[in-house]
Amino acid sequence: MALVVRGELRLTPGKAAVQVAHAAVLLVQLAERHPSPTFSRWLREGQKKIALVVPTLTDLEELDRRARAKGLATVWVEDAGFTEVAPGTRTCLGIGPAAASELDPITGELELL
Amino acid sequence: MALVVRGELRLTPGKAAVQVAHAAVLLVQLAERHPSPTFSRWLREGQKKIALVVPTLTDLEELDRRARAKGLATVWVEDAGFTEVAPGTRTCLGIGPAAASELDPITGELELL
């Protein structure tokens, strides 16, 4: 599972962590509605997650297109905007769960958060 | 939902975000096994989460005791230790979901991550 934050928002570490957590929970809820061997394996193998960052919303949108083109699940996190950003701002993209062999071609070159 | 990281480990922002996400997913999975009006309300109201930090494991353990004494759900995240910390290291405590009126007396004074 890859959780990719939008760098240009310059979120604090805590705020970024919350966006990453929102994305992870949304992906798990989505996977629970469509159980798959991939999801079962991911749960069994310790729910591996990685937090990454890309500079802009355009980068995130491109990542979303590439992931969906490969058949991977994606979710967007929109912040309620109580604190650091305007309401409805897209802050984070979640991808997966998926095997490393599926995720790596899409996210392997991205910077760690 | 409060997600509290162990500051003394000096995790990178990305690694801390992953621990916070692990805790959030574990709490949601726990709540799904014991559905409650509090959990339904939390889902309906946008899954509010906050990421906090305390200095030491002792602080986290004390927080865990206080939360459980109030009847709140808690989960521990143990890192698999592939990168920054030794395997089995307790990195993060998750508490909730709970109403703000229940969480605030326990976590209200803690530092934001």
Side-chain angles (χ1 to χ4, degrees):
Chain A
M1 179 181 285
L3 309 151
V4 193
V5 170
R6 182 174 160 195
E8 64 188 341
L9 299 177
R10 299 183 178 281
L11 301 173
T12 60
K15 189 81 181 177
V18 165
Q19 310 309 306
V20 164
H22 284 326
V25 169
L26 291 172
L27 284 175
V28 167
Q29 290 178 313
L30 185 62
E32 285 173 341
R33 290 196 295 273
H34 306 89
S36 70
T38 301
F39 180 50
S40 304
R41 191 177 321 119
W42 178 80
L43 287 175
R44 214 167 45 235
E45 293 178 355
Q47 306 200 8
K48 194 171 173 191
K49 302 178 185 76
I50 187 163
L52 303 165
V53 60
V54 295
T56 69
L57 179 59
T58 307
D59 298 317
L60 273 189
E61 289 169 340
E62 170 65 18
L63 207 55
D64 181 39
R65 272 191 296 275
R66 292 176 56 205
R68 285 188 291 113
K70 295 277 188 183
L72 302 184
T74 68
V75 295
W76 283 95
V77 177
E78 290 192 5
D79 197 82
F82 296 119
T83 48
E84 296 179 28
V85 300
T89 301
R90 290 178 154 193
T91 56
C92 183
L93 177 74
I95 307 171
S101 59
E102 289 187 298
L103 267 182
D104 282 355
I106 298 170
T107 61
E109 303 289 306
L110 302 181
E111 194 181 336
L112 293 172
L113 177 63
Chain B
M1 180 181 284
L3 308 152
V4 193
V5 170
R6 182 173 160 196
E8 64 189 342
L9 298 177
R10 299 183 178 281
L11 301 174
T12 60
K15 188 82 182 175
V18 165
Q19 310 310 307
V20 163
H22 283 325
V25 169
L26 291 172
L27 284 174
V28 167
Q29 290 177 314
L30 185 62
E32 285 172 342
R33 290 196 294 275
H34 306 89
S36 69
T38 300
F39 181 50
S40 304
R41 191 177 321 117
W42 179 80
L43 288 174
R44 214 167 46 235
E45 292 178 354
Q47 307 200 8
K48 193 170 173 192
K49 303 178 184 76
I50 188 163
L52 303 165
V53 59
V54 295
T56 68
L57 179 59
T58 306
D59 298 317
L60 272 189
E61 288 169 341
E62 170 65 17
L63 207 54
D64 181 40
R65 272 192 296 274
R66 291 177 57 205
R68 285 188 291 113
K70 295 277 188 183
L72 303 184
T74 68
V75 295
W76 283 94
V77 177
E78 290 193 3
D79 197 83
F82 296 120
T83 49
E84 296 179 28
V85 300
T89 301
R90 290 178 155 194
T91 56
C92 183
L93 176 74
I95 307 171
S101 59
E102 289 186 299
L103 267 182
D104 282 355
I106 298 170
T107 61
E109 303 289 305
L110 302 182
E111 195 181 335
L112 293 172
L113 178 64

